[in-house]
Amino acid sequence: MSNIALVVGASGITGSNLAKQLLTEGWETYGLARNPTDEISGLNPVTADLLDKRKLQIALADISPTHIYITTWMRNATEAENIRVNGLMIRNLLDVLSPKKSVQHVALVTGLKHYLGPFEAYAREGFLPETPLREEHPRLNMENFYYAQEDEIYAAAERDGFSWSVHRPHTVIGQAVGNAMNLGTTLAVYASICKETGRPFIFPGSAAQWNGLSDVTDARVLAAQLLWASTTVAARNQAFNIVNGDVFRWSRLWNRIAAYFGVEAAGFDGTIHPLEQTMANDGQIWQQIAEKYELKEAKLTRLASPWHTDLDLGRPIEVMTDMSKSRKLGFTAYQDTEESFYDLIEQLRTSRLIP
């Protein structure tokens, strides 16, 4: 039986990179999104809203996937609403596909909020886990939409007999437009604004993040793990952390990124300088930059997500992620983090998204 993939969220950082990897491997691949991308050659677009079960049934009527990759979520005002909405999205999808009996594996991408807590209580004192973060850590005693997503998959797997995997990346580095969590592109856009205006490239985060060790996840490495776990018997029905495999300190990388753009770096000065405030009035500046350099996207909010970058860089602890579990099972992909940022910057320039 041939492999037929359904990538849910195919227009995002994770989904688009995964779709490209699956197509390279010769998989028949469908990309589901509310506004599907037409920029990936060979990808079959599927327009659907996971909250509209009737329209979802129509959109998937002629598709019988063997593998489902869920790489999307929807942000809401409260964690209770995050739980309701994101749980319903997965339940609708798996309910619609259940009668087909075609699904062999479902992979879910979540993240380190599994360990650090939801947005409303993110990395706060009293809830700080031991690092490096390990998959064996128990769930936090608080509401978390990642747990709700997992539970929906566990229940459907029990009902329908498919295997599953859960993937927990740190900050994902890769190209996408309109993504809600995009630190790499946010920093590239911020550096571009600093270069154009002569402003210093000011580190926005905490002392712990500036001085401590950290890691991130290249979208290509995440795609490789998703493919590996969904086709490796030993990896079935397990959760895996996924990061590049190296560690770094922002105190070095910040200066390196600044030098790459040719801007003045300003490190941690004892005060947190949230990017959400720093970039609050940069919308018009970016529009002028986009017009000057004939860029494809003139709307700053379509490229940058300062609020999420502030969450990552403002944490009161250093955050590292243990990769032993999947390494022991044979997953060996590795990516140099500094090169991840440089690769992304060049992709953004080639795509005419930054000058």
Side-chain angles (χ1 to χ4, degrees):
M1 182 178 180
S2 61
N3 292 318
I4 303 172
L6 177 65
V7 180
V8 182
S11 59
I13 298 175
T14 299
S16 60
N17 280 273
L18 173 61
K20 293 172 185 176
Q21 179 68 32
L22 291 166
L23 289 164
T24 298
E25 297 290 332
W27 288 45
E28 183 179 350
T29 306
Y30 293 86
L32 187 152
R34 281 170 296 191
N35 299 293
T37 180
D38 59 0
E39 297 181 359
I40 301 176
S41 178
L43 181 65
N44 301 300
V46 180
T47 303
D49 181 348
L50 295 178
L51 293 174
D52 191 327
K53 194 170 184 179
R54 184 182 64 82
K55 291 184 179 179
L56 187 59
Q57 287 175 321
I58 296 171
L60 296 174
D62 299 322
I63 303 171
S64 298
T66 57
H67 295 70
I68 301 173
Y69 301 93
I70 301 171
T71 71
T72 190
W73 67 286
M74 184 179 293
R75 188 185 183 195
N76 297 275
T78 66
E79 193 60 20
E81 190 65 3
N82 278 334
I83 289 169
R84 185 189 71 80
V85 170
N86 289 284
L88 180 60
M89 288 164 61
I90 291 179
R91 184 162 65 251
N92 284 346
L93 174 67
L94 298 181
D95 283 354
V96 165
L97 291 173
S98 180
K100 297 176 182 288
K101 306 301 180 186
S102 65
V103 178
Q104 300 173 15
H105 186 89
V106 175
L108 170 68
V109 178
T110 61
L112 296 197
K113 286 188 291 299
H114 184 93
Y115 309 110
L116 297 171
F119 295 120
E120 294 174 3
Y122 187 70
R124 291 183 184 172
E125 296 293 342
F127 299 108
L128 301 179
E130 178 188 34
T131 59
L133 301 171
R134 294 179 171 86
E135 296 92 341
E136 66 198 43
H137 289 180
R139 289 182 174 184
L140 299 172
N141 186 26
M142 61 176 67
E143 291 185 321
N144 192 318
F145 80 87
Y146 284 169
Y147 306 161
Q149 289 181 307
E150 290 180 349
D151 290 342
E152 290 292 346
I153 289 176
Y154 300 157
E158 180 70 21
R159 177 190 67 199
D160 296 335
F162 57 74
S163 61
W164 54 265
S165 58
V166 176
H167 304 259
R168 298 171 185 160
H170 198 164
T171 302
V172 179
I173 304 300
Q175 180 178 327
V177 175
N179 191 273
M181 300 189 295
N182 199 336
L183 179 144
T185 300
T186 298
L187 294 184
V189 168
Y190 174 45
S192 298
I193 292 172
C194 290
K195 184 172 184 177
E196 188 69 18
T197 61
R199 287 156 42 182
F201 186 55
I202 300 173
F203 182 73
S206 67
Q209 284 294 298
W210 178 254
N211 296 311
L213 291 171
S214 190
D215 50 29
V216 297
T217 307
D218 190 296
R220 297 166 296 188
V221 173
L222 175 52
Q225 193 193 59
L226 283 160
L227 182 56
W228 166 80
S230 65
T231 56
T232 301
V233 173
R236 290 177 180 170
N237 303 331
Q238 298 191 60
F240 297 104
N241 293 332
I242 174 63
V243 287
N244 284 351
D246 63 356
V247 293
F248 66 92
R249 298 183 198 276
W250 280 109
S251 57
R252 178 181 186 275
L253 186 57
W254 193 259
N255 292 313
R256 299 284 289 176
I257 294 173
Y260 200 84
F261 277 93
V263 296
E264 175 192 352
F268 181 73
D269 63 1
T271 303
I272 292 177
H273 301 279
L275 272 183
E276 194 165 22
Q277 295 178 16
T278 301
M279 301 179 71
N281 299 315
D282 284 344
Q284 187 173 356
I285 293 173
W286 184 255
Q287 187 172 1
Q288 293 168 355
I289 291 172
E291 291 173 358
K292 178 179 178 180
Y293 295 99
E294 299 182 342
L295 304 181
K296 286 185 178 179
E297 183 55 64
K299 192 172 183 180
L300 181 62
T301 54
R302 292 273 296 157
L303 293 172
S305 51
W307 68 273
H308 185 264
T309 299
D310 288 338
L311 280 178
D312 274 5
L313 299 186
R315 290 180 296 211
I317 56 171
E318 65 176 11
V319 177
M320 295 169 291
T321 312
D322 185 81
M323 280 286 291
S324 301
K325 185 176 180 180
S326 61
R327 295 284 190 241
K328 289 177 181 178
L329 293 176
F331 180 74
T332 59
Y334 169 88
Q335 170 66 39
D336 180 277
T337 289
E338 193 169 323
E339 291 179 1
S340 287
F341 278 94
Y342 298 159
D343 287 351
L344 171 61
I345 293 165
E346 292 311 312
Q347 288 174 26
L348 294 171
R349 284 174 172 164
T350 301
S351 301
R352 295 196 1 257
L353 291 171
I354 64 172

